Amino acid sequence: MGRQAEHVYTDQPTIARFNGMVEHLQNGARVRLHLADGSTCDGVVAARPTVQEFYDGGGNEGSNGVVHLEQLGTSEWKRYIWFDQIERIEHLDSDAQLRA
């Protein structure tokens, strides 16, 4: 993953929200991500994500993150979702949920 992101954030509430999401995106967790566009994406967290520094198209530096999802039983399906696109995290392997 490069150092470019479509959107970066510098405000503390958004960065705190991203850090809270990391706690719910543990390696191996089965999750359904409810996205800002109204769609959902189910998968297994392939590696625990982190909040990182990126640059947007205007050269502004700020924070964002990416979660890498895979599907059980296949290595051919994978998806990368930016933190700022996640509205809610639903855990499929427990009752815990997080509204991002």
Side-chain angles (χ1 to χ4, degrees), residues 38-50:
S39 66
T40 61
C41 184
D42 296 4
V44 175
V45 177
R48 183 178 180 185
T50 59

Side-chain angles (χ1 to χ4, degrees), residues 41-94:
C41 184
D42 296 4
V44 175
V45 177
R48 183 178 180 185
T50 59
V51 177
Q52 299 178 38
E53 294 300 304
F54 294 93
Y55 293 95
D56 67 12
N60 301 303
E61 184 176 16
S63 298
N64 207 331
V66 178
V67 61
H68 172 188
L69 295 181
E70 294 181 346
Q71 288 198 337
L72 289 175
T74 179
S75 61
E76 296 176 14
W77 186 94
K78 63 180 114 182
R79 185 153 177 208
Y80 296 90
I81 312 257
W82 288 97
F83 284 0
D84 65 332
Q85 295 302 304
I86 300 170
E87 292 288 327
R88 184 167 59 95
I89 299 167
E90 179 182 355
H91 285 266
L92 301 177
D93 48 5
S94 73

